[in-house]
């Protein structure tokens, strides 16, 4: 394998509900940094039906080139046709690095590609870097139950591949003036050759909290003592108009459902404000919330690791502190509402 034949940083551009998925835009931001460091081009690979117009979005968020496979056979995601299209593109243009979002689609496609290309795959990456001179991708992720961070290298094969969790990387500010090159590609695929068929799309109708979209998250850990004690977390979140998060221990104890779990085996979140209450700060939790704009920790153990990851820390009993916060926030919110009401009254007079 001649490494000199492999050039460029690529991002698989997942399409969801007709638009490029947010995680793919985040990866374009990360990919732009890697490409600039290697002084090479950043490319996106767009596969679907009627997706060519979406290429302009990729340029807006940092891509230089977009390879497009636009055909009716790609209308719905299926492993086989998408894998064959991406393999075709990789064999023609030989990327040095190929990144995927760690979504159900991204994980499925990445693992399928890794079985056909002579290369490896680093899953659920949380940090990316690249050696400027060698082009060696440094893909880091929690390992051994989240107790250490492991940096995984692929020294002998190309392309180097990794899946990256949503909300871990930052998308670049969109620049509508950016343009790029569209390369339209075609591969001969016949529907009758496909071993899977999409018969019906059934959308989930159960209402679940989307904590990954919340601006304020109040998260609680086993330090809340019991399911009843955990209700304080719900109360504070309700006052602040925020979402409720939880550590893995809380979910495993049955105090709250899994879709509230923040961390390595849960959801990665980036709210404006994150309260970590009664949470010790194990690395498997921290990797899921460390990019929050403001982290406030409350724990009675002054040596708790969470205080190494927060912007503000309060050492004390959550059952004394949280009720005080609830009352004070209620007072301040009432004042704000009263002032807003008075201002509106003056405007209407």
């Amino acid at each position: 394998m001649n490494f000199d034949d492999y050039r460029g940083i690529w991002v698989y551009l997942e399409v969801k509900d007709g638009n490029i998925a947010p995680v793919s835009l985040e990866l374009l931001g990360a990919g732009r940094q890697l490409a600039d460091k290697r002084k090479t081009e950043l490319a996106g690979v767009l596969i679907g039906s009627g997706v060519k117009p979406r290429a302009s979005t990729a340029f807006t968020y940092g891509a230089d080139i977009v390879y497009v496979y636009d055909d009716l056979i790609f209308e719905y995601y299926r492993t086989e046709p998408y894998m064959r299209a991406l393999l075709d593109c990789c064999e023609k243009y030989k990327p040095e690095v190929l990144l995927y979002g760690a979504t159900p689609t991204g994980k499925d496609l990445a693992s399928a590609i890794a079985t056909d290309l002579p290369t490896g795959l680093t899953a659920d990456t949380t940090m990316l870097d690249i050696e400027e001179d060698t082009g060696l991708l440094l893909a880091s992720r929690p390992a051994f139950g989240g107790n250490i961070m492991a940096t995984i290298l692929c020294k002998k094969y190309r392309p180097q591949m990794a899946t990256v969790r949503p909300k871990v990387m930052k998308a670049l500010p969109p620049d509508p003036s950016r343009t790029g090159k569209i390369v339209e590609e075609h591969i001969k695929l016949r529907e009758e050759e496909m071993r899977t068929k999409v018969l019906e799309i059934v959308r989930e109708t159960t209402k679940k909290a989307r904590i990954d979209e919340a601006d304020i998250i109040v998260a609680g850990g086993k330090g809340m003592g019991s399911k009843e004690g955990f209700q304080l977390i719900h109360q504070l979140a309700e006052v602040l108009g925020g979402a409720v998060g939880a550590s893995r221990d809380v979910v495993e104890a049955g105090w709250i459902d899994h879709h509230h779990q923040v961390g390595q085996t849960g959801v990665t979140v980036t709210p404006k404000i994150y309260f970590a209450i009664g949470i010790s700060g194990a690395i498997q939790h921290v990797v899921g919330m460390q990019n929050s704009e403001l982290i406030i920790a409350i724990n009675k153990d002054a040596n708790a690791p969470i205080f190494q990851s927060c912007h503000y820390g309060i050492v004390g009993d959550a059952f004394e502190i949280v009720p005080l916060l609830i009352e004070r926030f209620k007072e301040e919110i009432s004042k704000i509402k009263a002032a807003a009401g008075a201002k509106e009254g003056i405007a209407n007079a």
Side-chain angles (χ1 to χ4, degrees), residues 18 20 46 49-59 68 70 182:
I20 296 177
L46 197 54
S49 178
V51 295
K52 182 180 175 182
R54 302 282 79 78
S56 60
T57 302
F59 299 140
V68 179
D70 197 329
I182 296 177

Short mmCIF file of all heavy atoms in Angstrom, two decimals, residues 18 20 46 49-59 68 70 182:
data_model
loop_
_atom_site.label_atom_id
_atom_site.label_comp_id
_atom_site.label_asym_id
_atom_site.label_seq_id
_atom_site.Cartn_x
_atom_site.Cartn_y
_atom_site.Cartn_z
N GLY A 18 -34.18 15.01 4.37
CA GLY A 18 -33.93 15.89 3.24
C GLY A 18 -32.78 16.86 3.42
O GLY A 18 -32.43 17.59 2.48
N ILE A 20 -28.67 17.69 5.25
CA ILE A 20 -27.47 17.08 5.81
C ILE A 20 -27.59 17.08 7.33
O ILE A 20 -27.92 18.09 7.95
CB ILE A 20 -26.21 17.85 5.36
CG1 ILE A 20 -26.04 17.75 3.84
CG2 ILE A 20 -24.97 17.30 6.05
CD1 ILE A 20 -24.87 18.54 3.29
N LEU A 46 -21.80 12.57 -0.73
CA LEU A 46 -23.24 12.73 -0.60
C LEU A 46 -23.93 11.64 -1.42
O LEU A 46 -23.75 11.57 -2.65
CB LEU A 46 -23.63 14.12 -1.11
CG LEU A 46 -24.97 14.73 -0.77
CD1 LEU A 46 -25.22 14.75 0.74
CD2 LEU A 46 -25.04 16.14 -1.33
N SER A 49 -31.14 10.31 -3.11
CA SER A 49 -31.98 10.62 -4.28
C SER A 49 -32.42 12.08 -4.17
O SER A 49 -33.03 12.48 -3.18
CB SER A 49 -33.20 9.70 -4.31
OG SER A 49 -34.04 10.02 -5.40
N GLY A 50 -32.07 12.88 -5.19
CA GLY A 50 -32.41 14.30 -5.17
C GLY A 50 -31.57 15.08 -4.19
O GLY A 50 -32.01 16.11 -3.67
N VAL A 51 -30.33 14.64 -3.94
CA VAL A 51 -29.50 15.26 -2.90
C VAL A 51 -28.48 16.26 -3.45
O VAL A 51 -27.84 16.97 -2.68
CB VAL A 51 -28.75 14.19 -2.07
CG1 VAL A 51 -29.72 13.33 -1.30
CG2 VAL A 51 -27.86 13.34 -2.97
N LYS A 52 -28.32 16.35 -4.76
CA LYS A 52 -27.29 17.23 -5.32
C LYS A 52 -27.38 18.67 -4.80
O LYS A 52 -26.35 19.27 -4.49
CB LYS A 52 -27.36 17.21 -6.85
CG LYS A 52 -26.28 18.05 -7.52
CD LYS A 52 -26.40 18.00 -9.03
CE LYS A 52 -25.38 18.94 -9.69
NZ LYS A 52 -25.50 18.94 -11.16
N PRO A 53 -28.60 19.25 -4.66
CA PRO A 53 -28.68 20.63 -4.14
C PRO A 53 -28.11 20.80 -2.74
O PRO A 53 -27.76 21.91 -2.34
CB PRO A 53 -30.19 20.92 -4.17
CG PRO A 53 -30.75 20.00 -5.22
CD PRO A 53 -29.92 18.77 -5.11
N ARG A 54 -28.00 19.72 -1.99
CA ARG A 54 -27.47 19.81 -0.62
C ARG A 54 -25.97 20.05 -0.60
O ARG A 54 -25.39 20.37 0.43
CB ARG A 54 -27.79 18.52 0.17
CG ARG A 54 -29.26 18.17 0.27
CD ARG A 54 -29.99 18.99 1.31
NE ARG A 54 -30.34 20.31 0.85
CZ ARG A 54 -31.36 20.59 0.05
NH1 ARG A 54 -32.14 19.63 -0.40
NH2 ARG A 54 -31.62 21.83 -0.30
N ALA A 55 -25.31 19.88 -1.74
CA ALA A 55 -23.86 20.09 -1.80
C ALA A 55 -23.49 21.51 -1.41
O ALA A 55 -22.44 21.74 -0.79
CB ALA A 55 -23.34 19.77 -3.20
N SER A 56 -24.35 22.47 -1.74
CA SER A 56 -24.05 23.86 -1.40
C SER A 56 -23.96 24.06 0.10
O SER A 56 -23.17 24.88 0.59
CB SER A 56 -25.13 24.79 -1.99
OG SER A 56 -26.41 24.46 -1.47
N THR A 57 -24.75 23.29 0.87
CA THR A 57 -24.67 23.36 2.33
C THR A 57 -23.30 22.89 2.81
O THR A 57 -22.71 23.48 3.72
CB THR A 57 -25.77 22.49 2.97
OG1 THR A 57 -27.05 22.94 2.51
CG2 THR A 57 -25.72 22.58 4.49
N ALA A 58 -22.79 21.83 2.20
CA ALA A 58 -21.47 21.32 2.58
C ALA A 58 -20.39 22.37 2.32
O ALA A 58 -19.48 22.54 3.13
CB ALA A 58 -21.17 20.04 1.82
N PHE A 59 -20.48 23.08 1.20
CA PHE A 59 -19.51 24.14 0.92
C PHE A 59 -19.61 25.25 1.97
O PHE A 59 -18.60 25.77 2.45
CB PHE A 59 -19.73 24.73 -0.47
CG PHE A 59 -19.57 23.74 -1.59
CD1 PHE A 59 -20.42 23.74 -2.68
CD2 PHE A 59 -18.55 22.79 -1.55
CE1 PHE A 59 -20.27 22.83 -3.71
CE2 PHE A 59 -18.38 21.88 -2.58
CZ PHE A 59 -19.25 21.89 -3.67
N VAL A 68 -20.93 13.31 -5.42
CA VAL A 68 -22.37 13.10 -5.34
C VAL A 68 -22.79 11.84 -6.10
O VAL A 68 -22.47 11.70 -7.29
CB VAL A 68 -23.15 14.32 -5.91
CG1 VAL A 68 -24.66 14.07 -5.83
CG2 VAL A 68 -22.78 15.59 -5.15
N ASP A 70 -26.28 10.50 -6.91
CA ASP A 70 -27.69 10.89 -6.85
C ASP A 70 -28.49 9.98 -7.77
O ASP A 70 -28.41 10.09 -9.00
CB ASP A 70 -27.83 12.36 -7.27
CG ASP A 70 -29.17 12.95 -6.86
OD1 ASP A 70 -30.17 12.19 -6.80
OD2 ASP A 70 -29.23 14.17 -6.61
N ILE A 182 -18.31 20.28 -7.38
CA ILE A 182 -19.19 19.12 -7.33
C ILE A 182 -18.71 18.09 -8.35
O ILE A 182 -18.54 18.41 -9.53
CB ILE A 182 -20.65 19.49 -7.61
CG1 ILE A 182 -21.19 20.43 -6.53
CG2 ILE A 182 -21.52 18.23 -7.69
CD1 ILE A 182 -22.61 20.90 -6.78
#
